[in-house]
Amino acid sequence: MGVSPAVGGSPAKEQQAAGVGILLQIMMLVLSFVLGHVLRRHKFYYLPEASASLLIGLIVGGLANISDTETSIRAWFNFHEEFFFLFLLPPIIFQSGFSLSPKPFFSNFGAIVTFAILGTFIASVVTGVLVYIGGRTYLMFGLPFVECLMFGALISATDPVTVLSIFQELGTDVNLYALVFGESVLNDAMAISLYRTMSLVRSNASGQNFLMVVVRFLETFVGSMSAGVGVGFVSALLFKYAGLDVDNLQNLECCLFVLFPYFSYMLAEGVTLSGIVSILFTAIVMKHYTYSNLSENSQRFASAFFHLISSLAETFIFIYMGFDIAMEKHSWSHVGFVLFSILCIIIARAVNVFSCAYVVNLFRPLQKKIPLNHQKALWYSGLRGAMAFALALQSVHDLPEGHGQIIFTATTAIVVLTVLLIGGSTGRMLEALQVVGDGHDGESFEDNNGYVAPSYVEEGPSGNRFKMKLKEFHKRTSFSALDKNYLTPFFTSQNEDDDDEEDDEPMPSSRRGGFYGQ
């Protein structure tokens, strides 16, 4: 997996070194999956699977450091950010969108978009401004303002895979799960768009103003989303009319289904848009429309295949993060930057969650507001993971010598602390906030995308006629009505019974657990 053989040896020696490197990676992957299974089986929530993978990488890297084999092992694990963005992140992002259960996601779609779009923007700006102020007041190493905003953008990408797995194990409220999971899915796309926009601004600092920055961001995000949705719709029509759902063509059907996500990703990257954003929306559209046009065997294959490669990719990323932290020469001389950055993201996450929850609750009736304990759980669930790490790895090449290395060191430290400390204490957090087991006994969703809080109180009879008319009008003009009456009949051949079965699917346990939630 991305191994670079030792330089300067004979071809036989290089081949042997590459083989040993691949063997070591396979051994770590096997150990990680087995250990994760044992921990999950014994319900040991203090060390989730992602944390275990990270620790395995740390231990192997630490053992290599204290031995005389550091140089050769580093040659076996010589990776570049292109390897992450082209081979590891696409299946993870696709599985995130593909494993979304439509009913809880779209029931809370307004809140999810608010947290993922507006919230990520707020967190990025607050983090960047605080880091810039810290540098100007000599509390930490100072970076230019645009570089501070780049750091704010990349560190705002959340990856609560450990929290979500524990959410599912303990049985938390389904709406809270949908908010955390939905935010993390869209948040990745938002963060990478912000980072690339800020990177472009930095490279053309003299000719950019705020309006052009906003236009460039909208161009990147909306263009990538349109490309992803377009590819998804094309795939739905192809599988609907091509007649591939027969026994002797199922191999072709599966191959085409697997190729469409990468086609979407490479198309967006080829026209200087965001492949991550594009493949995310391709996944959502393909799950909702294309998936139902497949044969049953192909549906099972697609679910298992994408779950498999996303699990391998995500586990490998956590192993490599731990390995790299132990092996890499980090800028620990700027430990003040690391510590102050941790404080900044805690504050930024709080501003993000509580301000967005306030905005969402302004437009909701009393019984559908997001309760305070769910807001605290959202704030606590802001772990950093694969996306932040990959963008930080890219910043080493995007920024001047030294600056990118400082950001990379701070990001890896934040990833380790959040995954190990927050991930391991999630169970106690859920018990303290009293959100365990309050949402799986009779789920309730409204057609008006309302949040169904645990303490639901029935409305009185007054104004019922007006409210019923308003609700009926909303039903007829909502996206759900458009989807049911026009999009689904046009792009799929499924009937209403299939829709009901799909809506009743449970939420996946995590990005690793998408298949088990099918």
Side-chain angles (χ1 to χ4, degrees), residues 72-399:
S72 59
I73 290 183
R74 167 51 64 191
W76 300 340
F77 285 82
N78 186 20
F79 299 101
H80 303 282
E81 70 277 4
E82 290 86 358
F83 179 68
F84 283 94
F85 282 103
L86 293 179
F87 296 102
L88 296 181
L89 286 178
I92 294 174
I93 300 299
F94 183 84
Q95 175 64 13
S96 297
F98 193 73
S99 62
L100 282 175
S101 292
K103 198 167 187 178
F105 179 77
F106 287 108
S107 294
N108 295 280
F109 186 72
I112 289 171
V113 170
T114 303
F115 283 109
I117 307 290
L118 178 62
T120 304
F121 179 79
I122 291 174
S124 301
V125 173
V126 171
T127 302
V129 170
L130 289 177
V131 170
Y132 181 74
I133 293 174
R136 283 289 175 261
T137 54
Y138 302 103
L139 294 174
M140 57 189 293
F141 180 81
L143 294 174
F145 184 62
V146 175
E147 294 181 11
C148 291
L149 291 177
M150 291 175 66
F151 175 65
L154 70 88
I155 206 63
S156 296
T158 61
D159 185 14
V161 58
T162 56
V163 173
L164 290 172
S165 62
I166 297 174
F167 274 19
Q168 183 74 7
E169 291 285 338
L170 297 181
T172 55
D173 180 78
V174 70
N175 294 287
L176 173 60
Y177 187 99
L179 285 178
V180 176
F181 184 78
E183 182 210 6
S184 69
V185 170
L186 297 179
N187 164 279
D188 285 344
M190 180 70 178
I192 193 171
S193 296
L194 280 174
Y195 176 85
R196 290 187 174 180
T197 302
M198 291 299 108
S199 179
L200 186 66
V201 170
R202 179 189 167 275
S203 60
N204 301 281
S206 58
Q208 295 282 344
N209 54 42
F210 180 75
L211 180 60
M212 291 303 296
V213 172
V214 174
V215 170
R216 175 58 184 167
F217 168 74
L218 291 176
E219 176 186 312
T220 301
F221 191 85
V222 177
S224 304
M225 180 180 67
S226 301
V229 171
V231 171
F233 281 147
V234 169
S235 70
L237 292 175
L238 173 66
F239 285 97
K240 179 179 180 180
Y241 294 110
L244 300 175
D245 55 343
V246 293
D247 291 339
N248 60 338
L249 291 178
Q250 284 184 0
N251 287 340
L252 175 60
E253 185 182 36
C254 295
C255 289
L256 288 175
F257 192 87
V258 169
L259 289 175
F260 263 101
Y262 263 103
F263 174 78
S264 171
Y265 183 88
M266 295 305 174
L267 174 65
E269 290 291 327
V271 293
T272 66
L273 295 174
S274 171
I276 297 297
V277 179
S278 179
I279 199 173
L280 169 64
F281 284 96
T282 298
I284 295 174
V285 173
M286 289 185 71
K287 176 59 185 293
H288 194 55
Y289 299 107
T290 312
Y291 186 76
S292 62
N293 294 330
L294 299 178
S295 62
E296 291 185 8
N297 289 337
S298 297
Q299 287 181 351
R300 287 192 291 269
F301 168 81
S303 298
F305 177 79
F306 287 115
H307 171 255
L308 170 65
I309 60 173
S310 66
S311 296
L312 285 170
E314 192 160 66
T315 302
F316 181 78
I317 286 177
F318 278 103
I319 289 174
Y320 175 67
M321 282 194 291
F323 181 86
D324 188 83
I325 291 166
M327 295 284 291
E328 193 71 38
K329 295 180 179 178
H330 294 279
S331 300
W332 296 117
S333 57
H334 299 290
V335 66
F337 186 94
V338 176
L339 297 176
F340 194 81
S341 297
I342 294 174
L343 178 63
C344 289
I345 67 167
I346 292 174
I347 297 173
R349 179 68 180 172
V351 174
N352 164 8
V353 170
F354 294 113
S355 62
C356 287
Y358 177 78
V359 172
V360 171
N361 286 340
L362 285 177
F363 298 94
R364 292 185 170 186
L366 179 62
Q367 71 275 8
K368 295 180 182 178
K369 295 183 184 295
I370 303 176
L372 183 61
N373 60 340
H374 287 198
Q375 296 177 36
K376 292 177 181 178
L378 269 170
W379 170 72
Y380 196 85
S381 303
L383 282 73
R384 271 59 176 181
M387 179 61 72
F389 178 78
L391 289 174
L393 193 64
Q394 183 173 327
S395 72
V396 175
H397 303 281
D398 292 342
L399 300 180

